[in-house]
Amino acid sequence: MSVWTRDGISIDDDPARLDLDVIHGFLSNCYWSPGIPREAVARAIAHSMPFGLYDGDRQIGFARLVTDRMSFAWLADVFVLDGYRGRGLARWLVATILAHPELTTIRRWMLATRDAHGVYAAVGFTPLDGVERYMSLRRVPPWALSVPDTSATDTRPSAAPPA
């Protein structure tokens, strides 16, 4: 496990240190995962490479990486709590992840964002090249069917399909 420190704030890649209450509290109320169950957050973390951002012992941010640790990584669930925003902490968190010694062979890093393009551009991310080559398949988990949609691109049905 590794720890990075700056101005009394630390980044830690130890999953045992994560505060699931903080992470779930944020993710269940943000635009990309409203209403996500705690169990789904725990499962996602268990199958990812998570990073916590801390002020002393208090978790103030989070990010996780879905990766094979060799050639591909998807950066997800990046956040910094409100009282700590505007200090460059998200940029530092992402830059630290990009420089992690276990991830130096990653050739393709990807992410999706609605409103934080500046954070990611500052550490080298650019709009997707060759978008015509990429495809996606979107499935909506059962827990999300009853959550009101706030995005213009959502394709969730308004009710569960007939059995």
Side-chain angles (χ1 to χ4, degrees), residues 130-157:
V131 69
E132 68 280 354
R133 294 188 318 241
Y134 293 88
M135 297 176 70
S136 68
L137 172 65
R138 182 171 181 193
R139 292 185 176 162
V140 180
W143 59 264
L145 291 174
S146 63
V147 176
D149 175 39
T150 58
S151 74
T153 60
D154 189 62
T155 59
R156 288 185 284 196

Short mmCIF file of all heavy atoms in Angstrom, two decimals, residues 130-157:
data_model
loop_
_atom_site.label_atom_id
_atom_site.label_comp_id
_atom_site.label_asym_id
_atom_site.label_seq_id
_atom_site.Cartn_x
_atom_site.Cartn_y
_atom_site.Cartn_z
N GLY A 130 -10.99 9.06 -32.51
CA GLY A 130 -11.54 7.93 -33.27
C GLY A 130 -12.82 7.41 -32.69
O GLY A 130 -13.04 6.20 -32.65
N VAL A 131 -13.68 8.31 -32.24
CA VAL A 131 -14.91 7.90 -31.57
C VAL A 131 -15.74 6.93 -32.42
O VAL A 131 -16.45 6.09 -31.89
CB VAL A 131 -15.74 9.14 -31.13
CG1 VAL A 131 -16.31 9.88 -32.32
CG2 VAL A 131 -16.81 8.76 -30.15
N GLU A 132 -15.58 7.00 -33.73
CA GLU A 132 -16.34 6.10 -34.61
C GLU A 132 -15.92 4.64 -34.45
O GLU A 132 -16.66 3.73 -34.84
CB GLU A 132 -16.20 6.54 -36.07
CG GLU A 132 -14.82 6.38 -36.67
CD GLU A 132 -13.82 7.49 -36.29
OE1 GLU A 132 -14.21 8.47 -35.65
OE2 GLU A 132 -12.64 7.34 -36.64
N ARG A 133 -14.77 4.37 -33.86
CA ARG A 133 -14.33 2.99 -33.64
C ARG A 133 -14.89 2.38 -32.37
O ARG A 133 -14.87 1.17 -32.20
CB ARG A 133 -12.80 2.95 -33.54
CG ARG A 133 -12.09 3.31 -34.80
CD ARG A 133 -10.59 3.07 -34.66
NE ARG A 133 -10.06 3.49 -33.38
CZ ARG A 133 -9.13 4.40 -33.21
NH1 ARG A 133 -8.61 5.01 -34.23
NH2 ARG A 133 -8.68 4.70 -32.00
N TYR A 134 -15.34 3.20 -31.46
CA TYR A 134 -15.78 2.73 -30.16
C TYR A 134 -17.27 2.44 -30.14
O TYR A 134 -18.05 3.09 -30.82
CB TYR A 134 -15.42 3.75 -29.07
CG TYR A 134 -13.94 3.87 -28.88
CD1 TYR A 134 -13.19 4.76 -29.64
CD2 TYR A 134 -13.27 3.05 -27.98
CE1 TYR A 134 -11.82 4.85 -29.49
CE2 TYR A 134 -11.91 3.13 -27.83
CZ TYR A 134 -11.18 4.03 -28.59
OH TYR A 134 -9.83 4.11 -28.43
N MET A 135 -17.61 1.48 -29.34
CA MET A 135 -19.02 1.12 -29.16
C MET A 135 -19.26 0.94 -27.67
O MET A 135 -18.33 0.76 -26.89
CB MET A 135 -19.33 -0.18 -29.90
CG MET A 135 -19.14 -0.08 -31.41
SD MET A 135 -19.42 -1.65 -32.24
CE MET A 135 -21.17 -1.83 -32.03
N SER A 136 -20.51 0.98 -27.30
CA SER A 136 -20.85 0.72 -25.91
C SER A 136 -22.17 -0.03 -25.85
O SER A 136 -22.95 -0.04 -26.81
CB SER A 136 -20.94 2.02 -25.11
OG SER A 136 -22.05 2.78 -25.52
N LEU A 137 -22.39 -0.65 -24.75
CA LEU A 137 -23.65 -1.33 -24.45
C LEU A 137 -24.04 -0.84 -23.08
O LEU A 137 -23.27 -0.96 -22.12
CB LEU A 137 -23.46 -2.85 -24.45
CG LEU A 137 -24.66 -3.67 -23.97
CD1 LEU A 137 -25.83 -3.50 -24.92
CD2 LEU A 137 -24.27 -5.12 -23.82
N ARG A 138 -25.21 -0.28 -22.98
CA ARG A 138 -25.65 0.26 -21.70
C ARG A 138 -26.79 -0.57 -21.17
O ARG A 138 -27.80 -0.74 -21.85
CB ARG A 138 -26.09 1.71 -21.86
CG ARG A 138 -26.50 2.30 -20.56
CD ARG A 138 -26.73 3.76 -20.67
NE ARG A 138 -27.11 4.26 -19.37
CZ ARG A 138 -27.62 5.42 -19.16
NH1 ARG A 138 -27.79 6.24 -20.15
NH2 ARG A 138 -27.94 5.80 -17.95
N ARG A 139 -26.61 -1.09 -19.98
CA ARG A 139 -27.66 -1.81 -19.28
C ARG A 139 -27.96 -1.06 -18.00
O ARG A 139 -27.05 -0.60 -17.32
CB ARG A 139 -27.23 -3.24 -18.95
CG ARG A 139 -27.09 -4.09 -20.17
CD ARG A 139 -26.78 -5.51 -19.77
NE ARG A 139 -26.75 -6.35 -20.95
CZ ARG A 139 -26.19 -7.53 -20.97
NH1 ARG A 139 -25.63 -8.03 -19.89
NH2 ARG A 139 -26.19 -8.24 -22.07
N VAL A 140 -29.19 -0.98 -17.66
CA VAL A 140 -29.59 -0.28 -16.45
C VAL A 140 -29.89 -1.32 -15.38
O VAL A 140 -30.72 -2.20 -15.58
CB VAL A 140 -30.82 0.61 -16.71
CG1 VAL A 140 -31.23 1.33 -15.44
CG2 VAL A 140 -30.52 1.61 -17.83
N PRO A 141 -29.19 -1.25 -14.23
CA PRO A 141 -29.44 -2.22 -13.17
C PRO A 141 -30.84 -2.03 -12.58
O PRO A 141 -31.38 -0.92 -12.60
CB PRO A 141 -28.36 -1.92 -12.13
CG PRO A 141 -27.94 -0.52 -12.41
CD PRO A 141 -28.17 -0.27 -13.87
N PRO A 142 -31.41 -3.09 -12.06
CA PRO A 142 -32.77 -3.00 -11.53
C PRO A 142 -32.96 -1.90 -10.49
O PRO A 142 -33.99 -1.25 -10.46
CB PRO A 142 -33.01 -4.37 -10.90
CG PRO A 142 -32.07 -5.28 -11.62
CD PRO A 142 -30.87 -4.44 -11.98
N TRP A 143 -31.97 -1.65 -9.65
CA TRP A 143 -32.12 -0.61 -8.63
C TRP A 143 -32.27 0.78 -9.23
O TRP A 143 -32.82 1.67 -8.61
CB TRP A 143 -30.98 -0.63 -7.62
CG TRP A 143 -29.62 -0.44 -8.21
CD1 TRP A 143 -28.73 -1.42 -8.56
CD2 TRP A 143 -28.97 0.79 -8.55
NE1 TRP A 143 -27.59 -0.89 -9.10
CE2 TRP A 143 -27.71 0.48 -9.10
CE3 TRP A 143 -29.35 2.12 -8.44
CZ2 TRP A 143 -26.82 1.44 -9.54
CZ3 TRP A 143 -28.45 3.09 -8.88
CH2 TRP A 143 -27.20 2.74 -9.41
N ALA A 144 -31.79 0.97 -10.46
CA ALA A 144 -31.83 2.29 -11.08
C ALA A 144 -33.14 2.57 -11.81
O ALA A 144 -33.40 3.71 -12.19
CB ALA A 144 -30.66 2.45 -12.04
N LEU A 145 -33.97 1.58 -12.02
CA LEU A 145 -35.20 1.78 -12.77
C LEU A 145 -36.15 2.75 -12.10
O LEU A 145 -36.90 3.45 -12.77
CB LEU A 145 -35.90 0.45 -13.02
CG LEU A 145 -35.19 -0.49 -13.99
CD1 LEU A 145 -35.89 -1.83 -14.04
CD2 LEU A 145 -35.11 0.12 -15.38
N SER A 146 -36.12 2.81 -10.78
CA SER A 146 -37.06 3.67 -10.08
C SER A 146 -36.48 5.03 -9.71
O SER A 146 -37.16 5.85 -9.11
CB SER A 146 -37.54 2.98 -8.80
OG SER A 146 -36.43 2.77 -7.94
N VAL A 147 -35.23 5.30 -10.10
CA VAL A 147 -34.59 6.57 -9.77
C VAL A 147 -34.91 7.58 -10.86
O VAL A 147 -34.72 7.30 -12.03
CB VAL A 147 -33.05 6.39 -9.65
CG1 VAL A 147 -32.37 7.72 -9.40
CG2 VAL A 147 -32.72 5.38 -8.57
N PRO A 148 -35.42 8.76 -10.50
CA PRO A 148 -35.72 9.77 -11.51
C PRO A 148 -34.46 10.16 -12.27
O PRO A 148 -33.39 10.30 -11.69
CB PRO A 148 -36.25 10.96 -10.71
CG PRO A 148 -36.52 10.45 -9.35
CD PRO A 148 -35.72 9.20 -9.15
N ASP A 149 -34.60 10.35 -13.55
CA ASP A 149 -33.47 10.70 -14.40
C ASP A 149 -33.29 12.21 -14.47
O ASP A 149 -34.25 12.95 -14.60
CB ASP A 149 -33.71 10.15 -15.81
CG ASP A 149 -32.62 10.60 -16.75
OD1 ASP A 149 -31.45 10.64 -16.34
OD2 ASP A 149 -32.94 10.93 -17.91
N THR A 150 -32.02 12.65 -14.42
CA THR A 150 -31.73 14.07 -14.56
C THR A 150 -30.87 14.35 -15.77
O THR A 150 -30.55 15.49 -16.04
CB THR A 150 -31.00 14.60 -13.31
OG1 THR A 150 -29.80 13.85 -13.13
CG2 THR A 150 -31.88 14.49 -12.07
N SER A 151 -30.50 13.32 -16.52
CA SER A 151 -29.66 13.54 -17.69
C SER A 151 -30.50 13.52 -18.96
O SER A 151 -31.52 12.84 -19.04
CB SER A 151 -28.56 12.48 -17.78
OG SER A 151 -29.10 11.25 -18.20
N ALA A 152 -30.05 14.26 -19.95
CA ALA A 152 -30.79 14.33 -21.21
C ALA A 152 -30.56 13.11 -22.08
O ALA A 152 -31.31 12.87 -23.01
CB ALA A 152 -30.37 15.58 -21.97
N THR A 153 -29.55 12.31 -21.78
CA THR A 153 -29.22 11.17 -22.63
C THR A 153 -29.64 9.84 -22.04
O THR A 153 -29.29 8.80 -22.55
CB THR A 153 -27.71 11.13 -22.91
OG1 THR A 153 -27.02 11.02 -21.66
CG2 THR A 153 -27.26 12.37 -23.65
N ASP A 154 -30.37 9.87 -20.98
CA ASP A 154 -30.75 8.62 -20.31
C ASP A 154 -31.73 7.84 -21.18
O ASP A 154 -32.60 8.40 -21.82
CB ASP A 154 -31.39 8.94 -18.96
CG ASP A 154 -31.60 7.67 -18.16
OD1 ASP A 154 -30.62 7.01 -17.83
OD2 ASP A 154 -32.76 7.36 -17.91
N THR A 155 -31.57 6.51 -21.17
CA THR A 155 -32.46 5.66 -21.96
C THR A 155 -33.22 4.69 -21.09
O THR A 155 -33.75 3.69 -21.59
CB THR A 155 -31.64 4.86 -23.01
OG1 THR A 155 -30.65 4.08 -22.32
CG2 THR A 155 -30.98 5.80 -24.00
N ARG A 156 -33.30 4.97 -19.80
CA ARG A 156 -34.00 4.06 -18.91
C ARG A 156 -35.50 4.06 -19.22
O ARG A 156 -36.07 5.11 -19.47
CB ARG A 156 -33.82 4.47 -17.44
CG ARG A 156 -32.45 4.22 -16.92
CD ARG A 156 -32.41 4.54 -15.47
NE ARG A 156 -32.39 6.01 -15.36
CZ ARG A 156 -32.05 6.63 -14.25
NH1 ARG A 156 -31.73 5.97 -13.18
NH2 ARG A 156 -32.02 7.95 -14.20
N PRO A 157 -36.12 2.88 -19.17
CA PRO A 157 -37.57 2.88 -19.33
C PRO A 157 -38.23 3.51 -18.11
O PRO A 157 -37.66 3.55 -17.02
CB PRO A 157 -37.91 1.39 -19.43
CG PRO A 157 -36.77 0.70 -18.78
CD PRO A 157 -35.55 1.58 -18.98
#
